[in-house]
C-alpha cells in the first residue's frame, strides 16, 4: 500500500527533511549516517556538546513521502503503520557544510531506527523534528567520569573531544565485544575501559554498575556523564547519588532506552 501525504499544513514546518549523503559502518553494530541539505541552516546554533535530534521514521513498504502530514495519517493509517518518533545523539553538526552526522546502534532487525540506518543509502530522506541539548563537560572539574553502553557511545565520544588536554578521568563503555571497539579522541590522562557483553544481550548485564562501583574514587570534584539502558541507570543512580553523595549539578544521567526482549532500539527516550 502506498499513501501520499496530504497538502502540507502549518505543523509540517517543524519537519526538516535532509538527504542521506554517506553511510559507513564503524563497527559490526554501529553505522554512521551523514545527512545534509539546505534544511541544516534551519537547525539552531548551540554551544552544547550533547546535542540530540528528534527523528521521524516511516515504514518503507508504505511509500510515505516526507514531510508527513501526521494529522491526516492519524486518520488514514492504523497506529502501527504511522511514522514513529525517536531521539538520537548528533555526533556532529556542521552548519558551514550543511551536514550532520548520527551514529546508529544496530542489533539485527530489532527496533525501528537501527534497521533503517542499516539499509540506508545515499539519497534517502532523513526527517528531523528539531534539535536541542544543554550538557557540556565541566571544564573546571577535577576529574571526569563517563559511563554508558553502545547507545551513549556517540555522546561520550563527543564529550571526550572537547575536554581540555590536561583533563583526567575514567571512561567505561559496554559493547558486545572487541570488534565493537572504535577509536576515541581522549586526553592522555583519561583512561578508557571497554566492557564486553560477549554472549549476553544488551540491557541484561551489570557490567557498568560493577565497573563504576569498583573504581577507586578520586579526590576532588567529579563531572559525571552516565547514560544507557534504564535498569543500569537506575542502579548507577544509587551509586552516584546515595553512595558517593554527588549533587545533581555534577551528574548528567538518564535512560536512553529500555530493555524489552525482541524490541530493542538503542535510542534516547527524552
Amino acid at each position: 500500500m502506498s499513501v501520499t501525504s496530504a497538502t502540507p499544513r502549518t505543523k509540517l514546518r517543524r519537519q526538516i527533511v535532509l538527504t542521506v549523503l554517506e553511510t559507513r559502518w564503524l563497527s559490526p553494530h554501529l553505522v554512521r549516517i551523514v545527512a545534509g541539505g539546505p534544511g541544516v541552516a534551519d537547525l539552531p546554533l548551540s554551544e552544547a556538546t550533547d546535542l540530540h535530534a528528534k527523528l521521524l521514521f516511516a515504514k518503507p513498504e508504505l511509500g510515505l513521502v516526507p514531510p508527513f502530514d501526521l494529522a491526516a495519517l492519524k486518520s488514514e493509517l492504523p497506529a502501527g503503520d504511522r511514522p514513529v518518533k525517536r531521539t538520537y545523539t548528533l555526533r556532529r553538526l556542521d552548519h558551514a557544510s550543511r551536514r550532520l552526522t548520527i551514529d546508529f546502534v544496530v542489533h539485527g532487525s530489532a527496533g525501528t531506527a537501527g534497521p533503517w540506518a542499516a539499509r540506508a543509502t545515499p539519497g534517502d530522506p532523513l526527517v528531523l523534528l528539531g534539535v536541542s541539548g544543554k550538557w557540556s563537560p565541566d571544564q573546571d572539574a577535577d576529574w571526569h567520569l563517563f559511563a554508558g553502553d553502545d547507545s551513549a557511545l556517540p555522546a561520550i565520544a563527543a564529550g571526550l573531544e572537547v575536554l581540555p588536554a590536561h583533563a583526567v578521568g575514567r571512561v567505561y563503555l559496554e559493547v558486545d565485544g572487541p570488534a565493537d571497539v572504535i577509536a576515541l579522541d581522549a586526553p592522555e590522562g583519561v583512561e578508557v575501559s571497554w566492557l564486553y557483553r560477549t554472549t549476553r544481550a544488551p540491557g541484561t548485564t551489570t557490567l557498568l554498575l560493577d565497573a563504576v562501583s569498583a573504581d577507586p574514587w578520586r579526590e576532588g570534584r567529579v563531572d559525571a556523564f552516565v547514560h544507557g539502558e534504564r535498569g543500569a541507570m537506575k542502579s548507577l543512580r544509587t551509586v552516584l547519588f546515595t553512595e558517593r553523595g554527588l549533587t545533581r549539578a555534577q551528574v548528567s544521567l538518564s535512560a536512553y532506552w529500555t530493555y524489552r526482549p525482541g524490541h530493542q532500539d538503542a535510542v534516547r527516550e527524552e
Side-chain angles (χ1 to χ4, degrees):
M1 181 176 82
S2 176
V3 180
T4 303
S5 300
T7 303
R9 302 179 182 180
T10 302
K11 291 184 179 180
L12 297 183
R13 294 175 183 173
R14 293 189 298 165
Q15 295 183 34
I16 297 173
V17 183
L18 304 180
T19 301
V20 173
L21 303 175
E22 304 172 15
T23 68
R24 179 163 65 97
W25 286 89
L26 305 181
S27 76
H29 298 103
L30 194 66
V31 61
R32 172 163 293 175
I33 303 294
V34 179
V40 173
D42 296 327
L43 299 176
L45 293 170
S46 174
E47 296 182 355
T49 300
D50 181 30
L51 290 174
H52 42 275
K54 294 188 182 300
L55 310 175
L56 278 176
F57 296 96
K59 289 185 174 181
E61 62 269 25
L62 296 181
L64 300 180
V65 179
F68 308 118
D69 188 333
L70 299 178
L73 293 177
K74 187 174 182 179
S75 62
E76 295 174 6
L77 297 174
D81 285 341
R82 299 168 198 159
V84 296
K85 182 171 63 176
R86 296 289 185 265
T87 306
Y88 268 81
T89 296
L90 293 188
R91 183 63 180 83
R92 188 168 290 107
L93 174 59
D94 188 340
H95 281 84
S97 64
R98 295 187 175 183
R99 295 159 70 96
L100 63 80
T101 302
I102 302 177
D103 295 343
F104 291 83
V105 177
V106 181
H107 283 282
S109 60
T112 299
W116 173 87
R119 62 175 178 263
T121 59
D124 289 349
L126 178 65
V127 185
L128 287 78
L129 287 176
V131 171
S132 60
K134 296 180 180 180
W135 181 85
S136 291
D138 181 355
Q139 302 293 321
D140 297 322
D142 294 305
W143 64 284
H144 298 266
L145 172 66
F146 294 86
D149 57 26
D150 323 53
S151 66
L153 179 52
I156 290 176
L160 291 173
E161 290 176 355
V162 298
L163 290 180
H166 64 270
V168 297
R170 288 297 302 265
V171 181
Y172 294 105
L173 286 161
E174 178 189 320
V175 295
D176 276 9
D180 295 293
V181 173
I182 65 173
L184 296 174
D185 186 9
E188 185 176 347
V190 177
E191 183 179 351
V192 179
S193 296
W194 295 87
L195 312 175
Y196 302 144
R197 288 186 293 264
T198 312
T199 59
R200 289 167 289 183
T204 65
T205 81
T206 60
L207 290 171
L208 288 174
L209 172 64
D210 296 342
V212 173
S213 297
D215 192 319
W217 206 250
R218 292 165 172 76
E219 296 295 328
R221 178 180 172 83
V222 63
D223 180 41
F225 186 84
V226 181
H227 298 267
E229 195 277 329
R230 180 174 296 279
M233 295 304 102
K234 183 177 180 180
S235 299
L236 285 168
R237 183 182 298 274
T238 299
V239 172
L240 298 176
F241 291 118
T242 303
E243 298 179 13
R244 297 299 185 182
L246 302 186
T247 66
R248 294 194 176 277
Q250 293 176 264
V251 182
S252 172
L253 184 152
S254 72
Y256 279 0
W257 65 286
T258 300
Y259 172 69
R260 299 186 183 92
H263 296 279
Q264 181 191 346
D265 217 355
V267 54
R268 305 179 68 133
E269 296 182 335
E270 300 140 294

